[in-house]
C-alpha cells in the first residue's frame, strides 16, 4: 500500500483511513505543472459518506498509461482525456519491447483523435477488470456510438460533470466490491430468527449451551453458527434454483472470469466435472479425453455412458509424469473418426489446463483446429488449478474463457473470413487420408463453427474460497440447447443442503480477485520466478536440487518460440508473451517441479521430511521430484524459508558425504542412479477388450467402459490375481487376456493405469511392480488385482 498524505484534520484522516483506498489514473494532455491542482480538485469532491477513498495519479501519454496499468496494482479506474501524446518522454528501457508489442496498430497511422478509444481497448486487454471512462471535448455522442466504446463504463463530455465522474468511479468500484450473497448472509446472521428446521447448529444454541462441545463454538466463533441455515427463504436464495442474490453473485462471477455464465458448486471440481459431463453427454457419444484427467472425468464417462477415446499425453519418463496431449494426436483421433464414419458421435474434447505439473495448453489453437474438423465439438477444460490465471495478462492468454471469447471475435472478423477462404482453397474438404492435415494449421468454417467451451475451476485451490468451493464457467453459443440437461445434471450432483459458507466464500473470492487479483497473481508469479532462480543458481543448493525449466518440461517441438527458461531483465517479458501466445504448450511458472532424486530422496520421502522437520507442506510428488506451488497466499518470507531449508538439507548432505568417505559417496551415487535413471517406463493405454468395443478392428480406440464398470458389481463376474504370482506371468504370456475390473490409480502419479474393460499388458504390470508408492486406489495388494472373468465377458457389442 502506498503511504498517503491526506492533509486532513486528524479525526477526518482516521475516518478516511478506514475506507478501502485505491488510485485512479488520469490520462491527459495536462501540463504536469497542473497535476497537483487537478488532484486537489478531485479531493474536493469527497463526501463523508463515500464508501471508498481514492487519489488521482497522472499519465501524459499513451505509453505512460500502459506502464501505469502494468505496474500500479492500486489502480481501479482510468479516466482517458483528449489530446495526449503517444510516445512517453521516458525511455522505459525494461518495458520498451513489451510496450511495442502491446500496440496492436501503427501509432503514426492513427488519427490523434482516436487515441482515447484505442488506448481504452489496449488497457481492457491488459486489465479487463478496471473501469474505463472517456472524458472528451470532441463529439462525445458520436464516440459513444462506436463499437469500441463497448469497453468503456461511461463517456463524459468535458469536465462539465466532475461530481458525476466522481460518483461513477465510486459506483464502478462498488459494483465489484459488492458481494450480494455474502452481504445478505451477514445481514441475515444479525436478524433474530427462531429456527424450527433441521439444522440444530444454526444460531449455535446447541453448541454454546453445551457443557461438552462448547469449545467448538469458541474455536469457530459465533458468526459461523449465526450464518448457518437450511432455509432458502429470508433472502438466502437457493443454489438449486437461484433467483436472487446467488443468481446475481453468479452473474458477477461470470463477468469477473470472462464467461457468459458461471455456476457455483459446493462439492469441488470433482462435482463440477461430473455435472458438465452429464449435461453434455449421452450413451454412445464419443469423448476424446486425456487419460491423465482427474478421476472425476473417468467417473463422468461411467455415469453418462459415453465412450472414452483415450488420448496420450507426451511422457516425461525420467520424472514418472506426463506432459499434455499434443494437438497432432487430437487431430489424428478426430480424422480417424471421420475416416471410420463416426465423427458425428464425437461430442466432446476433454483436457486438463493447466495440468497438475503446470503444462498450459494453447486453448484457442486447440479449439480452432478441432472445429475445422468438427464444427460443433464441445470442449471441457478442467482448470481446477488455474482459476487465478484470469487475472494476469500473461496467464490469461492460456485460459479457456479468454480463448473462447477471442475465438468468437476472430471467427466473426472479415480478416478471418479472407484467411479461411485462402485456407479452404488449399486444404479442400479435409480428407482424413491427407497426411498434410496433421501438420497444417487447420481453420474452421466461420459459417459453421460454434464456440462451445466449458471451464471448471477449483476456486478453493487458487483463490480465497473455502475448501470445495468450485465454479463452472460457460461460453457456449448453443447453451440454450442443453440448458435443461444442464439443470438436470446440476440437480443430480448437488446436495439439497449446500453449505452456505462455501457459497459466500465463492462470492468473496470473486470480489477479491476483481479488486486485487492482478496484484496477487503477479506477486505469486514473481515469487515463483525468484524461487526458480534462487534454487537453480545457488552454488550449494543447485548441487543437489533443481527446479525444472520450461525447456525440461516442454519438448522443443512444442516450443516454437525456442524459449528455454524464465529470464529476467530487458525484453524478457516480451519474449515470454511471444512464447505464451504461439507455443503449443507453455509452463505455468507457479508450478515448480523440484527434483529431489539428485539429493537421494524419492518424492514421498522428501515430502515427509519437509513436513515433519520443517513444517513445510507441498502439493504432489513423483518418483524423484516434488511439486511446489506458489499462490496468492505466499510471501517472500515463505520463499526465503524454503530456500533456507533446501540450503540446510544440501549442507547436511554435503557434510555427510564428506565425512562418510568413499562408502557414503558410492551409496549416495547408487541411490541417485536408482531414482534418476532406473525409472519405470510409463505404460500407455492399451485398448478396451473386444467385448467392450463395437468393432474390435476399428482404427479408433473408444470403448464401452460403463458396461465393464457395472459388470464388476457382481462378484461372480470377477477374479483376483496377485501381480507377483506365477498365474499372472502365465496369463500375460499365454492368455486368456487379462481384463481390468476397476480403475487402478496409483498416487502418485495419480492417473489411471487401468480402467474397467481395459486389456492389461505386461508393461502395466511391470510399472505396478516398480511403483514404490503406498497408495494405489483400486488395488488391494492382499487380494491381488481384480479382473473380469473371461467367461463372463459379453458377446460382441451391437452398435450404439
Ligand atoms: C485436474 C483436477 N481436476 C479436478 C480436481 C478435483 O477438484 P476438487 O478437489 O475441487 O474436487 C483435481 C484435484 O486435485 C484436479 O487435479
Amino acid at each position: 500500500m502506498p503511504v498517503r498524505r491526506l492533509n486532513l484534520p486528524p479525526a477526518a484522516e482516521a475516518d478516511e483511513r478506514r475506507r478501502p483506498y485505491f488510485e485512479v489514473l488520469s490520462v491527459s494532455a495536462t501540463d504536469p505543472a497542473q497535476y497537483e491542482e487537478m488532484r486537489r480538485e478531485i479531493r474536493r469532491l469527497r463526501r463523508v459518506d463515500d464508501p471508498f477513498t481514492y487519489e488521482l495519479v497522472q499519465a501524459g501519454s499513451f505509453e505512460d498509461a500502459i506502464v501505469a496499468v502494468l505496474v500500479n496494482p492500486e489502480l481501479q479506474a482510468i479516466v482517458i482525456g483528449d489530446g495526449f501524446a503517444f510516445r512517453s518522454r521516458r525511455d522505459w528501457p525494461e518495458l520498451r519491447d513489451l510496450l511495442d508489442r502491446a500496440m496492436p496498430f501503427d501509432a503514426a497511422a492513427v488519427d490523434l483523435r482516436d487515441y482515447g478509444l484505442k488506448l481504452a481497448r489496449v488497457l481492457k486487454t491488459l486489465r479487463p477488470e478496471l473501469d474505463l471512462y472517456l472524458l472528451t471535448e470532441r463529439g462525445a455522442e458520436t464516440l459513444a456510438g462506436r463499437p469500441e466504446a463497448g469497453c468503456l463504463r461511461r463517456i463524459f463530455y468535458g469536465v462539465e460533470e466532475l461530481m458525476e465522474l466522481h460518483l461513477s468511479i465510486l459506483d464502478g468500484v462498488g459494483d465489484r466490491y459488492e458481494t450480494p450473497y455474502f452481504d445478505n448472509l451477514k445481514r441475515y446472521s444479525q436478524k433474530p430468527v427462531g429456527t424450527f428446521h433441521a439444522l440444530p447448529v444454526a444460531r449455535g444454541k446447541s453448541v454454546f449451551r453445551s457443557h461438552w462441545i462448547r469449545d467448538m463454538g469458541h474455536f469457530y466463533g459465533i458468526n459461523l453458527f449465526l450464518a448457518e441455515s437450511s432455509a432458502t427463504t429470508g433472502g438466502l436464495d437457493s443454489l438449486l434454483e437461484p433467483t436472487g442474490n446467488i443468481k446475481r453473485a453468479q452473474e458477477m462471477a461470470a463477468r469477473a472470469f470472462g464467461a457468459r455464465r458461471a455456476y457455483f458448486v459446493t462439492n469441488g471440481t470433482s462435482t463440477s466435472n461430473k455435472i458438465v459431463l452429464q449435461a453434455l453427454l449421452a450413451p454412445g457419444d464419443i469423448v476424446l479425453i486425456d487419460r491423465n484427467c482427474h478421476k472425476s472425468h473417468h467417473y463422468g464417462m461411467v455415469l453418462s455412458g459415453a465412450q472414452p477415446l483415450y488420448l496420450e499425453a507426451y511422457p516425461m519418463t525420467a520424472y514418472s509424469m506426463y506432459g499434455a496431449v499434443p494437438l497432432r494426436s487430437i487431430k489424428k483421433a478426430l480424422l480417424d473418426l471421420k475416416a471410420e464414419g463416426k465423427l458425428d458421435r464425437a461430442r466432446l474434447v476433454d483436457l486438463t489446463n493447466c495440468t497438475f505439473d503446470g503444462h498450459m495448453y494453447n486453448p484457442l489453437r486447440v479449439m480452432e483446429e478441432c472445429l475445422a474438423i468438427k464444427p460443433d465439438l464441445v470442449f471441457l477444460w478442467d482448470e481446477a488449478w488455474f482459476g487465478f490465471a484470469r487475472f494476469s495478462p500473461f496467464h490469461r492468454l492460456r485460459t479457456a474463457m479468454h480463448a473462447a471469447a477471442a475465438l468468437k471475435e476472430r471467427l466473426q472478423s472479415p480478416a478471418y473470413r479472407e484467411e479461411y477462404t485462402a485456407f479452404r482453397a488449399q486444404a479442400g474438404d479435409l480428407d482424413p487420408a491427407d497426411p498434410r492435415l496433421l501438420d497444417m494449421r487447420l481453420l474452421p468454417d466461420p459459417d459453421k463453427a460454434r464456440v462451445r467451451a466449458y471451464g471448471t475451476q477449483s476456486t478453493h485451490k487458487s483463490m480465497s474460497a473455502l475448501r470445495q468451493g468450485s465454479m463452472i464457467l460457460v461460453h457456449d453459443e448453443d447453451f440454450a440447447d442443453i440448458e435443461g440437461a444442464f439443470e438436470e445434471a446440476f440437480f443430480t450432483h448437488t446436495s439439497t443442503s449446500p453449505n452456505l459458507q462455501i457459497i459466500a466464500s465463492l462470492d468473496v473470492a470473486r470480489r477479491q480477485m476483481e479488486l486485487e487479483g492482478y496484484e496477487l497473481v503477479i506477486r505469486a508469479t514473481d515469487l515463483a520466478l525468484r524461487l526458480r532462480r534462487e534454487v537453480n543458481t545457488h552454488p550449494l543448493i543447485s548441487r543437489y536440487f533443481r527446479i525444472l525449466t520450461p525447456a525440461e518440461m516442454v519438448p522443443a517441438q512444442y516450443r516454437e518460440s525456442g524459449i528455454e527458461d524464465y529470464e529476467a531483465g530487458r525484453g524478457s517479458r516480451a519474449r515470454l508473451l511471444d512464447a505464451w501466445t504461439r507455443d503449443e504448450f507453455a509452463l505455468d511458472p507457479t508450478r515448480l517441479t523440484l527434483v529431489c532424486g539428485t539429493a537421494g530422496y524419492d518424492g514421498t520421502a522428501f515430502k515427509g521430511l519437509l513436513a515433519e522437520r520443517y513444517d513445510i507442506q507441498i502439493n504432489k510428488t513423483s518418483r524423484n521430484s516434488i511439486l511446489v506451488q506458489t499462490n496468492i497466499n505466499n510471501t517472500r518470507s515463505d520463499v526465503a524459508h524454503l530456500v533456507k531449508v533446501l540450503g540446510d538439507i544440501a549442507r547436511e548432505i554435503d557434510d555427510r558425504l564428506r565425512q562418510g568417505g568413499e562408502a557414503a559417496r558410492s551409496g549416495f551415487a547408487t541411490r541417485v542412479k536408482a531414482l534418476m535413471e532406473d525409472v519405470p517406463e510409463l505404460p500407455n493405454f492399451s485398448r478396451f477388450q473386444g467385448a467392450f468395443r463395437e468393432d474390435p478392428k476399428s482404427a479408433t480406440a473408444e470403448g464401452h467402459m460403463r458396461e465393464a464398470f457395472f459388470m464388476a458389481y457382481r462378484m461372480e463376474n470377477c477374479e483376483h490375481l496377485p501381480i507377483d504370482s506365477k498365474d499372472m506371468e502365465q496369463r500375460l504370456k499365454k492368455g486368456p487376456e487379462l481384463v481390468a475390473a476397476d480403475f487402478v490409480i496409483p498416487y502418485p502419479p495419480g492417473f489411471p493405469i487401468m480402467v474397467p474393460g481395459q486389456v492389461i499388458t505386461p508393461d502395466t504390470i511391470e510399472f505396478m511392480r516398480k511403483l514404490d508408492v503406498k497408495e494405489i486406489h483400486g488395488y488391494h495388494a492382499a487380494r491381488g488385482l481384480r479382473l473380469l472373468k473371461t467367461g463372463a465377458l459379453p458377446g460382441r457389442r451391437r452398435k450404439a
Side-chain angles (χ1 to χ4, degrees):
M1 268 266 183
V3 177
R4 289 180 287 144
R5 285 186 301 277
L6 301 175
N7 302 326
L8 296 170
E13 179 153 338
D15 182 48
E16 282 284 279
R17 286 196 189 284
R18 267 197 296 278
R19 304 177 204 189
Y21 167 78
F22 62 91
E23 290 177 1
V24 174
L25 178 70
S26 153
V27 191
S28 70
T30 310
D31 177 354
Q34 303 294 311
Y35 281 176
E36 187 47 44
E37 178 47 34
M38 260 175 94
R39 285 199 279 269
R40 272 200 296 271
E41 199 177 347
I42 292 295
R43 272 184 218 129
R44 282 196 284 273
L45 300 171
R46 289 179 185 172
R47 302 158 314 147
V48 279
D49 45 2
D50 284 345
F52 317 107
T53 180
Y54 67 89
E55 286 284 347
L56 205 61
V57 291
Q58 284 111 332
S61 72
F62 202 110
E63 291 188 340
D64 288 330
I66 292 181
V67 173
V69 161
L70 288 175
V71 303
N72 184 350
E74 301 290 335
L75 291 182
Q76 297 294 352
I78 301 160
V79 182
I80 303 173
D82 284 328
F84 50 86
F86 184 80
R87 288 258 172 243
S88 169
R89 291 198 200 165
R90 296 189 46 188
D91 189 23
W92 300 118
E94 290 290 310
L95 295 169
R96 168 53 47 207
D97 49 356
L98 193 55
L99 275 177
D100 290 342
R101 235 185 151 274
M103 308 307 163
F105 58 90
D106 173 9
V110 171
D111 187 332
L112 193 72
R113 283 168 301 185
D114 277 350
Y115 275 10
L117 283 181
K118 289 276 183 207
L119 177 63
R121 191 162 157 87
V122 172
L123 298 183
K124 207 63 185 171
T125 334
L126 295 173
R127 306 262 314 263
E129 70 281 9
L130 298 183
D131 293 326
L132 303 179
Y133 300 91
L134 197 69
L135 197 66
T136 180
E137 305 259 335
R138 303 194 179 98
E141 306 79 357
T142 321
L143 284 175
R146 299 253 301 260
E148 306 98 296
C151 65
L152 298 168
R153 191 173 165 94
R154 241 188 109 166
I155 298 184
F156 289 95
Y157 179 69
V159 286
E160 65 180 10
E161 292 179 280
L162 260 196
M163 182 47 98
E164 278 299 306
L165 175 63
H166 171 72
L167 295 176
S168 298
I169 288 171
L170 294 176
D171 193 47
V173 176
D175 267 1
R176 280 174 276 154
Y177 188 83
E178 189 193 353
T179 33
Y181 188 77
F182 176 57
D183 297 345
N184 191 60
L185 192 62
K186 283 192 292 183
R187 272 195 299 276
Y188 167 85
S189 72
Q190 302 310 317
K191 281 200 295 204
V193 249
T195 63
F196 292 94
H197 55 60
L199 189 70
V201 296
R203 319 307 292 177
K205 286 178 251 179
S206 74
V207 175
F208 285 98
R209 287 211 198 121
S210 162
H211 295 304
W212 300 99
I213 64 165
R214 203 180 300 152
D215 60 329
M216 176 191 178
H218 293 311
F219 180 73
Y220 286 110
I222 180 74
N223 280 345
L224 177 71
F225 303 95
L226 293 179
E228 273 296 347
S229 174
S230 73
T232 52
T233 49
L236 283 176
D237 209 359
S238 159
L239 184 64
L240 289 151
E241 209 160 283
T243 52
N245 44 55
I246 293 185
K247 184 166 182 282
R248 282 205 53 227
Q250 292 185 150
E251 284 162 2
M252 292 164 90
R255 170 188 76 197
F257 290 97
R260 289 188 171 187
R261 291 160 182 267
Y263 293 88
F264 291 171
V265 176
T266 57
N267 191 25
T269 297
S270 305
T271 293
S272 297
N273 288 334
K274 286 177 218 153
I275 292 173
V276 176
L277 291 169
Q278 182 181 322
L280 293 170
L281 300 172
D285 285 345
I286 294 175
V287 180
L288 289 85
I289 173 175
D290 177 3
R291 186 172 52 114
N292 299 299
C293 274
H294 183 258
K295 56 207 276 191
S296 50
H297 298 263
H298 305 280
Y299 287 117
M301 300 296 124
V302 170
L303 293 173
S304 65
Q307 301 196 11
L309 194 167
Y310 282 115
L311 302 169
E312 293 293 346
Y314 65 81
M316 295 177 59
T317 312
Y319 305 103
S320 290
M321 60 171 85
Y322 279 95
V325 181
L327 178 52
R328 210 172 186 279
S329 312
I330 307 173
K331 282 160 61 176
K332 168 103 177 52
L334 283 170
L335 290 167
D336 286 349
L337 285 168
K338 187 171 181 185
E340 298 262 319
K342 292 193 251 182
L343 194 57
D344 58 317
R345 285 173 50 207
R347 171 83 167 149
L348 182 76
V349 174
D350 189 357
L351 299 168
T352 308
N353 183 51
C354 68
T355 65
F356 218 132
D357 302 293
H359 302 91
M360 301 183 292
Y361 282 85
N362 191 332
L364 193 150
R365 172 110 181 256
V366 172
M367 293 196 283
E368 188 172 284
E369 293 214 39
C370 290
L371 290 177
I373 303 172
K374 179 141 202 278
D376 61 351
L377 261 185
V378 192
F379 297 83
L380 169 55
W381 296 96
D382 179 339
E383 297 190 336
W385 299 101
F386 211 42
F388 72 94
R390 169 82 189 164
F391 298 91
S392 144
F394 289 88
H395 282 92
R396 187 184 312 121
L397 296 169
R398 296 265 164 178
T399 63
M401 288 303 112
H402 173 82
L407 180 58
K408 180 78 202 143
E409 195 178 323
R410 180 166 148 76
L411 292 175
Q412 283 173 337
S413 74
Y416 177 78
R417 203 163 269 281
E418 272 180 36
E419 215 183 311
Y420 174 72
T421 311
F423 164 78
R424 167 95 196 155
Q426 188 199 358
D429 266 342
L430 303 195
D431 174 0
D434 181 349
R436 293 175 312 154
L437 298 187
L438 292 181
D439 298 309
M440 180 189 278
R441 177 145 190 173
L442 305 182
L443 297 181
D445 181 343
D447 292 326
K448 294 195 182 136
R450 311 293 295 162
V451 178
R452 309 195 62 188
Y454 290 73
T456 50
Q457 53 141 305
S458 294
T459 318
H460 69 95
K461 287 195 203 292
S462 72
M463 290 164 269
S464 302
L466 295 180
R467 196 138 170 85
Q468 296 191 4
S470 169
M471 290 188 203
I472 299 170
L473 304 174
V474 183
H475 181 124
D476 182 354
E477 287 185 79
D478 295 330
F479 189 75
D481 294 350
I482 66 133
E483 195 160 5
F486 189 92
E487 206 173 79
E488 282 299 339
F490 200 86
F491 291 158
T492 306
H493 297 282
T494 303
S495 163
T496 42
S497 310
N499 185 293
L500 308 196
Q501 318 317 322
I502 297 178
I503 302 173
S505 76
L506 287 169
D507 200 14
V508 175
R510 186 274 311 150
R511 178 212 284 177
Q512 177 178 41
M513 295 313 279
E514 275 199 307
L515 290 165
E516 56 183 354
Y518 178 75
E519 178 178 12
L520 296 172
V521 174
I522 295 293
R523 191 179 67 206
T525 311
D526 179 58
L527 291 177
L529 296 175
R530 280 171 195 274
L531 187 55
R532 285 175 176 276
R533 267 197 292 279
E534 201 49 43
V535 169
N536 287 356
T537 58
H538 192 285
L540 177 62
I541 299 177
S542 64
R543 207 178 293 160
Y544 299 103
F545 299 101
R546 195 172 82 250
I547 294 176
L548 297 184
T549 60
E552 288 165 300
M553 297 288 288
V554 180
Q557 70 260 40
Y558 309 121
R559 265 182 301 111
E560 285 174 48
S561 69
I563 198 162
E564 299 256 313
D565 201 353
Y566 303 104
E567 306 155 14
R570 192 177 287 207
S572 57
R573 278 182 261 208
R575 279 195 292 280
L576 189 68
L577 199 56
D578 175 48
W580 284 23
T581 307
R582 59 195 182 106
D583 286 353
E584 178 165 354
F585 302 119
L587 179 69
D588 173 7
T590 69
R591 305 188 72 78
L592 307 98
T593 298
L594 179 92
V595 179
C596 55
T598 38
Y601 292 102
D602 66 65
T604 314
F606 196 59
K607 177 179 175 173
L609 174 77
L610 290 178
E612 279 150 35
R613 252 174 78 183
Y614 301 101
D615 289 327
I616 291 178
Q617 297 178 355
I618 55 106
N619 202 313
K620 89 166 234 271
T621 59
S622 84
R623 178 177 170 83
N624 48 24
S625 71
I626 59 167
L627 180 76
V628 177
Q629 161 190 350
T630 59
N631 64 37
I632 63 167
N633 193 37
N634 287 117
T635 59
R636 284 182 71 172
S637 305
D638 294 336
V639 171
H641 181 47
L642 182 57
V643 170
K644 180 179 178 319
V645 165
L646 293 177
D648 290 350
I649 297 173
R651 207 166 297 109
E652 268 178 32
I653 301 171
D654 227 30
D655 290 347
R656 212 169 51 230
L657 294 183
R658 209 172 311 115
Q659 287 158 16
E662 193 45 42
R665 282 193 289 277
S666 89
F668 180 76
T670 309
R671 172 107 183 109
V672 170
K673 182 170 178 303
L675 288 168
M676 300 303 299
E677 292 174 31
D678 305 338
V679 285
E681 283 296 317
L682 294 171
N684 274 347
F685 177 77
S686 50
R687 61 190 163 83
F688 283 107
Q689 215 277 344
F692 303 108
R693 307 200 55 202
E694 273 138 35
D695 173 7
K697 294 205 182 69
S698 166
T700 63
E702 74 282 359
H704 211 286
M705 190 163 74
R706 174 196 179 101
E707 191 165 330
F709 181 89
F710 285 112
M711 257 190 81
Y713 271 30
R714 297 198 176 279
M715 283 317 292
E716 66 268 23
N717 291 336
C718 300
E719 58 183 331
H720 286 88
L721 216 53
I723 59 169
D724 289 317
S725 64
K726 281 213 179 86
D727 285 352
M728 176 64 82
E729 281 305 317
Q730 281 295 106
R731 290 275 300 265
L732 284 172
K733 278 198 194 113
K734 300 198 174 139
E737 275 177 338
L738 299 157
V739 182
D742 298 299
F743 287 106
V744 176
I745 307 178
Y747 260 82
F751 61 85
I753 54 173
M754 290 172 208
V755 304
Q758 180 185 340
V759 172
I760 301 168
T761 45
D763 57 344
T764 307
I765 297 298
E766 195 50 31
F767 182 77
M768 277 188 88
R769 287 179 184 149
K770 282 197 181 166
L771 270 179
D772 40 14
V773 299
K774 291 191 197 74
E775 218 176 307
I776 304 183
H777 300 173
Y779 172 66
H780 303 283
R783 298 170 71 190
L785 195 60
R786 203 157 75 107
L787 305 167
L788 293 176
K789 281 185 191 159
T790 313
L793 296 176
R796 180 86 17 102
R797 292 193 50 73
R798 282 157 282 117
K799 289 227 181 272

